[in-house]
Amino acid sequence: MRLPNLPAPFRAGWTFAAAGLAAMLWSCAPSPHHAGKDGDVAARVDSLVATYQRRNYVPGMSVAVIRNGRDTLAYRGYGLADVENGVPATPETVYPIASNTKQFTAAAVMRLVDEKRLALDDPVGRYLPKLPAAWRRIPVRQFLNHTSGIPDSPILLPYEVAPDSVLERAGTKPLDFAPGTRWKYSNTGYLVLGRLIEAVSGEPYAQYLETKILAPNGLTETRPCDADALIRHRAAGYELDDTTVVNAAYVHVGTSFSAGGLCSTAGGLARWNRALATGRVVSPAAWARMTTPEGAATGYGYGLIVMSLDGHRLVGHGGEIAGFRSSSAYLPSDSLSATVLTNLGSEDPGPLTLGIARAVLGASRPPASPGGGRR
């Protein structure tokens, strides 16, 4: 699955594309003009999820569809969060959100920009002088939108590796391209941003998120996805062997750090979408920058994918880690958030999220007139 106009697929992120599959999922629901009530939307979401889950052998998923920050259109779990122990998935089930973490990291950087503690055009080496020489001159904005050119190094490993060790390995390689001339998704770039947040704020990354962003906005369901911590309602992760569900290989989520190290619930991400878009996390000017692609970053802002869905502006992201996939979308003009979290690593829920958004948008349209329209 590829994002339109982007040169490569997101391997660790989520692409909001695959319009064909999204259309297939959308066609499974009743025609839009047959539904105008929230209950009808919830039933249609159930139908879309059931089709997706059956066709893709997904063990468990949690879905949150919320409008205006208060109208809950769908909020429930499906299937099993833990197959071996028969634990149902619920709205409270906690999943690794992988690269959805990047929008939290980008927002933390933009908050520091709002406070004038750094500037987007500052070379990152001003704050991180121990980075490789070729990296130090790259402006902060090019790390945010994946146009820095710094090479990637593996972060999804079965053992814990410090972010600095990942950066050190990547630093032995030449730049993939001259900064600002191309776009290439970079987990390593977002590890640099995590270290930048720490250097400028004087706080550990996780502490800064908790004290300055999450706790003040009541976003208590989002937290570091510590491998060793006991996290209530944490889902188990799975992959497919043909059509058989098997346990996913272990990876140390904490190694993903500021590129993919957070956990959350579907409702937690929905609340985050609203808080970020309505000025509670960063200023309106910062939000506008986060959702405006620049230069070579066609279709990507700062930690957020930007696209149009049936004429409606949509921003969001997604994530992939062994045993888990996530997708979260926000339509600003409709004040609509749609989030899907799953515990199967082999299938992208992005098309399902688009289908759900379309279901809500369709239900919001007036009924077709007797003389024409959809039948």
Side-chain angles (χ1 to χ4, degrees):
M1 297 206 345
R2 284 172 162 72
L3 183 68
N5 301 320
L6 290 185
F10 291 95
R11 183 57 189 157
W14 169 48
T15 57
F16 278 92
L21 181 53
M24 177 273 290
L25 288 166
W26 170 234
S27 70
C28 298
S31 295
H33 70 267
H34 287 309
K37 298 180 179 178
D38 291 352
D40 296 324
V41 171
R44 247 190 293 159
V45 171
D46 285 346
S47 175
L48 290 169
V49 170
T51 300
Y52 178 86
Q53 198 167 13
R54 182 179 66 253
R55 289 179 175 172
N56 296 296
Y57 304 94
V58 180
M61 11 187 348
S62 298
V63 175
V65 186
I66 300 175
R67 186 170 49 201
N68 297 321
R70 61 182 182 276
D71 300 332
T72 302
L73 307 181
Y75 188 66
R76 60 174 295 187
Y78 303 82
L80 296 174
D82 185 328
V83 174
E84 290 174 299
N85 293 298
V87 179
T90 73
E92 288 73 42
T93 299
V94 176
Y95 303 77
I97 61 171
S99 282
N100 260 300
T101 300
K102 289 181 174 66
Q103 57 185 298
F104 290 83
T105 299
V109 172
M110 294 307 294
R111 185 179 178 88
L112 294 169
V113 171
D114 279 338
E115 295 170 351
K116 302 190 184 308
R117 299 173 73 177
L118 62 81
L120 290 171
D121 289 320
D122 286 346
V124 73
R126 180 174 299 175
Y127 309 97
L128 298 171
K130 293 184 180 179
L131 287 178
W135 299 11
R136 290 178 220 152
R137 59 188 173 83
I138 302 172
V140 171
R141 68 171 70 246
Q142 291 177 352
F143 288 89
L144 286 164
N145 65 12
H146 300 294
T147 61
S148 68
I150 70 169
D152 250 342
S153 235
I155 61 171
L156 301 180
L157 301 167
Y159 47 86
E160 185 173 11
V161 175
D164 290 341
S165 296
V166 177
L167 296 177
E168 190 176 317
R169 283 199 304 270
T172 64
K173 306 172 187 175
L175 292 175
D176 288 339
F177 49 83
T181 62
R182 287 174 49 198
W183 183 94
K184 185 178 180 183
Y185 193 82
S186 175
N187 286 303
T188 306
Y190 267 74
L191 297 185
V192 171
L193 292 175
R195 287 299 190 225
L196 173 68
I197 291 163
E198 294 182 329
V200 175
S201 71
E203 298 181 57
Y205 170 78
Q207 181 178 310
Y208 182 83
L209 282 188
E210 172 63 22
T211 60
K212 301 301 191 298
I213 293 178
L214 300 176
N217 289 294
L219 301 169
T220 57
E221 294 140 300
T222 302
R223 55 163 295 166
C225 210
D226 243 338
D228 301 324
L230 300 178
I231 299 177
R232 285 174 57 92
H233 310 300
R234 188 184 336 213
Y238 302 96
E239 302 288 350
L240 278 183
D241 181 2
D242 192 14
T243 59
T244 301
V245 171
V246 298
N247 287 315
Y250 175 77
V251 296
H252 199 287
V253 179
T255 298
S256 302
F257 185 47
S258 50
L262 296 181
C263 273
S264 193
T265 64
L269 277 183
R271 282 180 277 281
W272 162 257
N273 289 341
R274 175 77 174 173
L276 181 59
T278 56
R280 289 165 48 196
V281 177
V282 299
S283 68
W287 163 250
R289 283 187 175 275
M290 289 181 69
T291 56
T292 303
E294 299 172 340
T298 305
Y300 201 99
Y302 297 164
L304 288 165
I305 296 166
V306 184
M307 65 172 286
S308 175
L309 178 68
D310 299 343
H312 297 253
R313 193 160 185 262
L314 182 151
V315 297
H317 213 285
E320 173 189 357
I321 197 169
F324 299 95
R325 289 283 193 113
S326 61
S327 64
S328 190
Y330 187 74
L331 286 75
S333 62
D334 305 278
S335 298
L336 175 66
S337 178
T339 301
V340 179
L341 306 181
T342 82
N343 62 351
L344 184 71
S346 53
E347 295 297 330
D348 184 356
L352 173 61
T353 306
L354 294 184
I356 289 172
R358 282 190 167 107
V360 178
L361 295 175
S364 301
R365 297 176 193 138
S369 64
R374 205 183 306 218
R375 294 191 182 276

